[in-house]
Amino acid sequence: MFFKKKTLEDFSAQRKDSGMIRTLSTMDLTFLGIGGIIGSGVFVLTGIGAARYAGPGIVLSFIAAGLLCMLVGLAYAELASLIPAAGSAYAYTFASLGEGMAFLCGWSLIIGYIVTASAVAVGFSAYFSGMMASLGMEIPKALLTTAPEGGIINLPAVVITLIIGVILAHGTKESSRLNTILISLTLCAIVAYVVVTSPHAVAANLDPFLPFGAGGIMAGAAVVFFSFMGFDTVATSAEECKTPEKSLPIGIIASVFVCLCIYSVVALVLTATIPYTDLDRADPVAYCLRLIGYTSLANLVTVGILFGMITTLIVYIFGQARVFFAMSRDGFLPKSMANIHPKYGTPYFITLVGSAIIAFIAGCVPMLYIVELANTGVLAAFFIVFVGLIQLRRNSPELPRTFHFPALYLFAPIGMAVCLYLIWALSAVTNITFIVLMVLGFFFYNSYAPKHRCWDKASSSSANGESSYSDSTTSS
């Protein structure tokens, strides 16, 4: 069964019986993508990436990571127009490469989503505590740092994660409305920051532009790649979208492009205003404003930044729940995870459980370890997506697609090579940890899936034969 693929009939039958409510529009999806991308990346990793990896050249790191995500976004757009199913890369891999690779891809996505959401929660805590301290209400350091850092627990990160988990369990459309409002306020805060800070930019701060050499650009890209991963969540919402074939490609591509422009501007202004050596902190934007004398504005902008991180948390907790839901519905994880709330129409159980896992990691694991592991998981999933798209295009070119990846055989191999390079650029400890987690996932798949697999049962009773692209029924 390792290479057996899902048919279009399989996806259609599952969408029909999912119980999810279709409420999301193209605009909802675009803001969902922006909300997932604009968060701790622009507000946290800009400073850390500049100080440790690329210097002022961090703007080039953002551009490199953003261009890779544009390529991945194009791949997602074609696959989403063909297979509008919950689970994003997991579902696409199931259609193109088969069950086993789909499980490993989904496992990678879950690692990426959970760990990324944890990093965003840590970033939220840093900005929140900084704002509270400036208002004279300092939070004890022991409640802001993890045990390995000399503290007890990162309490604000835990609290905000659990609150958002409860909100998401109560409805998709309501969460989408909250996301749209908050991301609009965040964009206003970013504009205010750029307008106020730009006059203080000094060309001398950009010299040397590449203090860590040209290699620092890609090293920085490997870390800040984390900043763009939220667009993937747009694809996980396919079964809650009114017109997924049209809306998913637009939402994915538009959100990546808008955020690439924003990241580049903010990174350039920040490193031109403050020497990159002073930016190794979790709240560089607010720190920059306070340093140039705008303390009150820093607090106002921080409120906007906090809203942005909340939207990012909403998107990632939303996304991990949908991937869990898709895998559990297929029988690769306990079926209870796929339970849909009869009133709210959401996978409430796994939303709450996932939020608890994210809160635990955010409260107990240092930031940098979280970020690198998140990048490895999603880069691996994106590599598989490129392979799957090439396979599907070669084997089933006649399938109806409302979007085509341009120059696929040129750009997809480039995207695959960049994914592998960025994984290699991360620390050995991070990659070893990821490999160990993938091996554990493979063993779980081999021990659990054969006894609980159920994805092909619904289609066997409703489909009248194999789809044109399900040409492999090879057993593992």
Side-chain angles (χ1 to χ4, degrees), residues 184-205:
S184 298
L185 295 173
T186 302
L187 293 175
C188 290
I190 291 173
V191 171
Y193 166 76
V194 172
V195 169
V196 169
T197 308
S198 295
H200 297 268
V202 179
N205 287 332

Side-chain angles (χ1 to χ4, degrees), residues 424-466:
W424 176 81
L426 295 169
S427 70
V429 172
T430 298
N431 289 328
I432 290 172
T433 301
F434 176 73
I435 291 172
V436 170
L437 290 174
M438 292 301 291
V439 170
L440 290 176
F442 183 77
F443 279 118
F444 180 84
Y445 164 78
N446 278 294
S447 62
Y448 189 87
K451 300 176 183 177
H452 300 86
R453 177 188 295 108
C454 60
W455 62 268
D456 53 352
K457 294 179 182 177
S459 61
S460 64
S461 62
S462 59
N464 294 319
E466 292 294 313

Side-chain angles (χ1 to χ4, degrees), residues 58-364:
I58 191 65
V59 63
L60 300 181
S61 298
F62 274 114
I63 291 174
L67 290 177
L68 171 60
C69 286
M70 286 293 290
L71 292 179
V72 179
L74 292 172
Y76 267 54
E78 176 171 333
L79 290 166
S81 71
L82 178 63
I83 309 166
S88 69
Y90 163 75
Y92 308 149
T93 305
F94 217 143
S96 57
L97 299 176
E99 176 186 294
M101 290 302 296
F103 179 89
L104 294 177
C105 182
W107 193 261
S108 297
L109 277 180
I110 287 173
I111 293 172
Y113 275 135
I114 288 179
V115 179
T116 300
S118 303
V120 175
V122 174
F124 174 92
S125 176
Y127 273 93
F128 179 76
S129 60
M131 183 182 71
M132 296 300 289
S134 70
L135 296 174
M137 295 177 283
E138 192 164 347
I139 300 174
K141 186 176 180 181
L143 299 179
L144 295 173
T145 50
T146 63
E149 297 169 310
I152 299 175
I153 190 172
N154 195 327
L155 187 60
V158 172
V159 172
I160 191 62
T161 302
L162 296 178
I163 290 175
I164 291 174
V166 172
I167 293 173
L168 280 169
H170 278 73
T172 299
K173 186 62 179 179
E174 292 75 10
S175 304
S176 175
R177 289 192 185 118
L178 176 61
N179 176 74
T180 300
I181 293 170
L182 294 181
I183 198 58
S184 298
L185 295 173
T186 302
L187 293 175
C188 290
I190 291 173
V191 171
Y193 166 76
V194 172
V195 169
V196 169
T197 308
S198 295
H200 297 268
V202 179
N205 287 332
L206 299 178
D207 186 21
F209 190 69
L210 297 175
F212 300 95
I217 297 174
M218 296 308 290
V223 175
V224 303
F225 173 80
F226 156 92
S227 309
F228 290 93
M229 293 181 340
F231 78 88
D232 174 86
T233 311
V234 175
T236 69
S237 65
E239 293 181 33
E240 294 156 278
C241 180
K242 295 176 183 177
T243 56
E245 294 83 359
K246 179 188 74 172
S247 299
L248 288 173
I250 295 174
I252 291 170
I253 295 172
S255 59
V256 174
F257 178 75
V258 169
C259 294
L260 173 57
C261 295
I262 292 173
Y263 277 171
S264 300
V265 171
V266 172
L268 186 61
V269 170
L270 179 65
T271 52
T273 305
I274 303 296
Y276 75 92
T277 52
D278 296 336
L279 293 175
D280 192 5
R281 48 191 303 124
D283 59 343
V285 172
Y287 170 75
C288 175
L289 287 171
R290 293 190 182 104
L291 200 63
I292 61 178
Y294 290 93
T295 302
S296 298
L297 180 60
N299 289 333
L300 290 175
V301 170
T302 297
V303 172
I305 291 171
L306 293 176
F307 288 157
M309 292 186 176
I310 289 173
T311 64
T312 307
L313 272 174
I314 288 174
V315 170
Y316 279 115
I317 295 175
F318 175 95
Q320 62 85 28
R322 271 60 187 174
V323 177
F324 263 125
F325 167 81
M327 296 180 70
S328 140
R329 180 174 60 182
D330 291 334
F332 299 145
L333 296 172
K335 289 290 289 182
S336 59
M337 292 184 176
N339 289 342
I340 299 296
H341 197 282
K343 178 179 179 181
Y344 304 124
T346 61
Y348 68 100
F349 178 77
I350 191 52
T351 299
L352 296 175
V353 171
S355 300
I357 296 172
I358 292 167
F360 174 79
I361 296 174
C364 302

Side-chain angles (χ1 to χ4, degrees), residues 370-437:
I370 296 175
V371 171
E372 290 201 357
L373 185 58
N375 285 348
T376 308
V378 178
L379 283 166
F382 287 173
F383 178 87
I384 295 173
V385 166
F386 282 124
V387 175
L389 179 58
I390 293 174
Q391 176 81 355
L392 200 57
R393 182 77 74 84
R394 291 178 61 188
N395 290 348
S396 304
E398 77 288 349
L399 289 177
R401 297 165 169 86
T402 58
F403 182 89
H404 281 77
F405 189 117
L408 173 67
Y409 296 107
L410 171 63
F411 291 122
I414 292 174
M416 293 162 61
V418 175
C419 284
L420 292 177
Y421 179 84
L422 293 181
I423 291 174
W424 176 81
L426 295 169
S427 70
V429 172
T430 298
N431 289 328
I432 290 172
T433 301
F434 176 73
I435 291 172
V436 170
L437 290 174

